[in-house]
Amino acid sequence: MNVNTCLLYAALVDVVTSLWVFVARDMSFPTLAKAMYLPGVLSLAFVDDVGAYLWQIMGTQSFYKSVVYCAVAIVLTYVLVYGCVGLGIGLGWTAKSQPVSVTVQKRMSVTGFLRAAGEEMGWRCYLLPCLMSLFTPPVALFISGIAWGLFHVAVMILLTKRLKTELPVRTIVVQCLACVFCAYPHGWLAIKSGYSIWPSTFLHFWWNHLNPHVLGSIYTNTPGVYYGQQWKMNGEGLTGCVVMLPVAVLISLELNQDFY
């Protein structure tokens, strides 16, 4: 693989996603969320042997690692989300919601898991190993994180405009930056499991359930068990950036040791 192939894939996904958001701009949030399938679907156009690629990412060659790191992913989700809760309370950004103000979260669904898998298939099972073949782990994770962050920008622009969110530019910027940092734990799980799709998908799926339930949704600007300004206190907001930054540094140091 060469750097042009990696970057072309990332750019294509982000451009196609932006076009999808434009076309579906008047549709429901679940319809917009179908963009999550695009990274996985488009990755199929970039591999030489689709069968071998799918066999690899299913984790059949590293079944034990896949199972272990799926469990790690679930534990890590709780650590990160409640780390955001603790930091938010400590800084005075977060408070407990009144029961009537808590948004009822939908139960975890198969389609939610499949959407998460669609993203992870592209970003962690194709783009990340592509970049890892060319760069050191911290650089590869950083580039993949930028691509992943930009992937969310179009829908954030649309939703902040649609919902008349306060401080929309700040909200969009911190959410994008949070995704850059979030790429490190997602990528770490993928690398450690031999680029199996399952561990990073479990982290993504569990996060998509737990973070909105506990801290609210930065996408729909609604509270969870705790409330505050979403751009500031959410796990995909400023608090999430602060919590994820040392995690990203530790992961970079750990992967660099293995690399060298």
Side-chain angles (χ1 to χ4, degrees), residues 20-34 155 158-159 162:
W20 168 254
V21 171
F22 177 77
V23 170
R25 62 189 181 279
D26 296 323
M27 299 181 188
S28 65
F29 183 73
T31 301
L32 288 168
K34 287 181 170 59
V155 73
L158 174 64
L159 291 175
R162 178 188 292 182

Side-chain angles (χ1 to χ4, degrees), residues 51-202:
Y53 170 60
L54 295 176
W55 184 255
Q56 166 69 28
I57 68 176
M58 286 299 106
T60 52
Q61 297 174 327
S62 52
F63 177 77
Y64 174 74
K65 285 184 177 181
S66 292
V67 172
V68 169
Y69 283 103
C70 281
V72 171
I74 295 171
V75 173
L76 184 57
T77 308
Y78 282 92
V79 170
L80 293 173
V81 169
Y82 282 97
C84 291
V85 171
L87 179 62
I89 291 173
L91 294 173
W93 294 350
T94 305
K96 200 74 176 283
S97 293
Q98 296 298 321
V100 293
S101 68
V102 178
T103 303
V104 176
Q105 297 299 317
K106 295 179 181 179
R107 62 184 178 84
M108 292 182 284
S109 65
V110 173
T111 54
F113 186 86
L114 291 175
R115 286 196 299 266
E119 280 199 45
E120 296 306 312
M121 178 178 169
W123 298 127
R124 252 63 69 175
C125 298
Y126 175 76
L127 179 62
L128 183 57
C130 180
L131 294 169
M132 285 283 287
S133 68
L134 301 163
F135 302 104
T136 61
V139 174
L141 288 167
F142 181 66
I143 295 173
S144 69
I146 291 174
W148 195 31
L150 293 175
F151 172 76
H152 292 81
V153 167
V155 73
M156 287 299 298
I157 291 172
L158 174 64
L159 291 175
T160 54
K161 182 178 180 181
R162 178 188 292 182
L163 300 171
K164 297 180 173 56
T165 304
E166 292 184 10
L167 304 172
V169 174
R170 195 173 302 180
T171 301
I172 294 163
V173 170
V174 295
Q175 198 277 338
C176 180
L177 187 59
C179 288
V180 175
F181 293 135
C182 282
Y184 286 78
H186 281 80
W188 178 77
L189 289 168
I191 293 167
K192 288 295 186 179
S193 62
Y195 300 109
S196 165
I197 194 174
W198 305 115
S200 61
T201 296
F202 266 87

